[in-house]
Amino acid sequence: MTTMEIPLLGAPSSGSKWDRIDWEPIEKHVMRLQMRIAKATRERRWGKVKSLQWLLTHSFYAKLLAVKRVVSNRGRKTAGVDGKLWTTSKQKFDAVRSIKRQGYRPQPLKCIYIPKKNGKKRPLGIPTMGDRAMQALYLLALEPVTETTADKNSYGFRPCRSPADAIGQCFQALCLKHSAQWIFEGDIKSCFDQISHSWLTANIPTDKTVLSKWLAAGYMEKGSFYLTDAGTPQGGIISPALANMALDGLEGAVKQVVSRGHKVNVVRYADDFIITGVSKELLEDTVMPAVVAFLKTRGLELSKEKTSITHIRDGFDFLGFNVRKYADGKLLIKPSRQSVKAHLASIREFLKSHKTAPTEVVIRKLNLKIRGWAYYHRHVVAKKIFSYVDHHIFWALWSWARRRHPGKPAYWIKRRYFRSNGWRDWMFSTSTYDKMGNVSHLDLFSAASVKIIRHVKIRATATPFDPAYKDYFELRALRNRGNSLVRMDDWWL
């Protein structure tokens, strides 16, 4: 297939053809192949899985989608060790033609360090654009397998699943009066950096030659080359899928050593997980050894710092939420104190580093932060906390404005930076002008304006690569877009 056969939107022209590609038929073609791979996986026909994966990784349409993912994600402006980026239409089409298995040799990763919550730093390996596209291509062939064989209650880095689903499963496992009372909070030490290469090459159903090349590519740091003998780079597109496959089976390994009456439930999001149980002794003496043995075969171990056993009345933090059952027996899930403190600290730090920035820039940047944080937490008991956050943001902005005008009285600062609108007073705001000279107001987003909406957890067995769930995911998409005609009961079942 040549580029002349690419579906285009509108009439052909000599302009930027990449921007005019009609992606719908391309995505449908690749999805059909992915569904065939998933069907063969469910039937345990591994020879057919391998042949279909070969067909997909040599498909021109799949290569188009792989390059599209690389040039449209957040890392598209970050180059690898070769310093190359794909910005023009020609570069993108040349990249599609260059994706070939024969003669493929990945380049070393560019290693950078990013801060963690505990003050430490974790390494991030950045592949070149070409290696990212190759990983995205092989991920298209691997993902139907990972989704079909994944643990039912694994929610991290999987299509159509989110932290809200993981929290929803926590609620279902702990909300009743007779639910489990003890929680094993697990965290895997340096999961991405320590996964055994021999386990990955022996157990991941993908092209072993290409996978081995990725794992042995090494990395560059301060001009020096270093070999890699374990782990999968956190900056790689395919790395989350490899880590998920390494941890799939944890749910089965735990449930194999306990009986049904022990109320054991496993909820995992990437390398963070919780396990419920009826007693502390059960979790310490039976569940923990099973987890340790499971991880050891993959070259992994639990983090002693972050692993603990907690009673539900004391509560625990998971994915930025606090889950706790109070004296009246009611389970409430709220944004965790650590999440609130980190959010407010981020805003204060931003204001401190933008003391002289234009008000419009400050509001636009803050709106992104506030809206993102509030929408992440809008499915739990968060209304009072949203108001609390707004209150502290107001005082941070008031201090910011006072520092800019130390000689001005309070009423002058209010008139310059705040306005009233209906029932809302003291709205941090500025005036903006369009090209026609029309004036409008740009207001600071209020976290308290976000409605609390109950999230309906995804079905544990649902996967987008199974045609039996086609209608289910369509209804879910409609509901998520706010279609009031979709009844909750229709897609809850």
Side-chain angles (χ1 to χ4, degrees), residues 70 75 106 135 160 186 188 255 306 316 361 363 385 442 465-466:
V70 172
Q135 290 187 19
C160 305
I188 301 168
K255 292 192 174 182
K306 301 179 181 178
F316 64 95
V361 172
I363 291 177
I385 293 177
L442 176 63
F465 303 110
D466 188 342

Side-chain angles (χ1 to χ4, degrees), residues 3 60 63 67 90 92-100:
T3 55
F60 184 74
K63 292 178 181 180
V67 172
K90 183 180 184 303
K92 295 169 187 176
F93 279 119
D94 288 344
V96 173
R97 300 186 192 97
S98 70
I99 301 177
K100 295 179 181 178

Side-chain angles (χ1 to χ4, degrees), residues 109-410:
L109 306 168
K110 181 171 74 173
C111 185
I112 63 173
Y113 290 87
I114 58 177
K116 297 171 67 174
K117 292 179 181 179
N118 58 8
K120 298 180 180 179
K121 292 185 177 181
R122 64 180 175 90
L124 185 67
I126 302 175
T128 63
M129 299 288 279
D131 291 335
R132 279 178 245 174
M134 196 73 169
Q135 290 187 19
L137 176 65
Y138 277 81
L139 179 59
L140 288 172
L142 180 62
E143 202 165 52
V145 182
T146 65
E147 280 298 292
T148 305
T149 60
D151 286 348
K152 292 180 180 180
N153 291 302
S154 162
Y155 299 96
F157 302 112
R158 293 181 59 189
C160 305
R161 297 189 177 218
S162 68
D165 292 306
I167 294 300
Q169 178 60 25
C170 289
F171 182 83
Q172 290 188 14
L174 297 165
C175 67
L176 301 178
K177 289 183 178 180
H178 57 269
S179 296
Q181 299 292 304
W182 291 90
I183 297 92
F184 173 75
E185 302 174 65
D187 185 89
I188 301 168
K189 184 178 180 180
S190 304
C191 178
F192 281 83
D193 300 329
Q194 300 298 328
I195 299 175
S196 167
H197 282 183
S198 59
W199 190 94
L200 289 173
T201 51
N203 293 277
I204 301 298
T206 190
D207 191 308
K208 308 295 184 184
T209 302
V210 175
L211 177 60
S212 298
K213 289 179 178 179
W214 285 331
L215 297 176
Y219 64 94
M220 298 289 295
E221 184 179 0
K222 297 180 180 179
S224 300
F225 175 77
Y226 298 89
L227 291 171
T228 48
D229 54 6
T232 176
Q234 292 195 45
I237 287 177
I238 203 170
S239 296
L242 298 179
N244 264 338
M245 289 207 79
L247 296 176
D248 282 334
L250 175 64
E251 196 169 339
V254 169
K255 292 192 174 182
Q256 194 172 18
V257 298
V258 296
S259 63
R260 193 169 184 177
H262 288 135
K263 302 175 183 177
V264 170
N265 295 278
V266 181
V267 184
R268 180 170 65 83
Y269 190 93
D271 57 341
D272 292 330
F273 63 90
I274 64 140
I275 303 174
T276 67
V278 294
S279 68
K280 186 176 183 179
E281 292 72 26
L282 171 75
L283 296 177
E284 279 183 343
D285 301 336
T286 305
V287 171
M288 188 181 290
V291 172
V292 170
F294 173 85
L295 295 177
K296 188 176 181 180
T297 61
R298 289 145 173 84
L300 301 171
E301 61 180 341
L302 289 171
S303 169
K304 294 181 180 179
E305 300 174 352
K306 301 179 181 178
T307 298
S308 60
I309 297 176
T310 311
H311 196 276
I312 190 61
R313 280 197 292 269
D314 298 324
F316 64 95
D317 290 349
F318 187 52
L319 304 178
F321 299 89
N322 179 261
V323 184
R324 182 181 173 191
K325 187 173 283 186
Y326 292 81
D328 59 357
K330 182 177 288 186
L331 182 78
L332 296 181
I333 303 177
K334 305 176 182 180
S336 69
R337 287 186 179 181
Q338 186 178 6
S339 177
V340 174
K341 287 176 65 176
H343 176 56
L344 292 175
S346 171
I347 288 174
R348 293 186 184 110
E349 185 62 32
F350 171 81
L351 292 175
K352 189 181 294 185
S353 62
H354 290 73
K355 293 178 180 178
T356 59
T359 307
E360 180 180 350
V361 172
V362 170
I363 291 177
R364 292 191 187 279
K365 293 284 188 180
L366 286 182
N367 282 353
L368 290 175
K369 289 176 174 287
I370 298 168
R371 184 180 284 110
W373 187 87
Y375 271 68
Y376 180 83
H377 294 93
R378 66 174 174 164
H379 304 298
V380 299
V381 184
K383 202 65 177 179
K384 289 184 178 180
I385 293 177
F386 285 171
S387 297
Y388 172 87
V389 165
D390 283 342
H391 174 76
H392 282 268
I393 291 174
F394 165 79
W395 284 111
L397 286 167
W398 181 256
S399 299
W400 175 84
R402 291 294 296 265
R403 281 196 302 267
R404 285 166 72 104
H405 309 282
K408 297 294 184 180

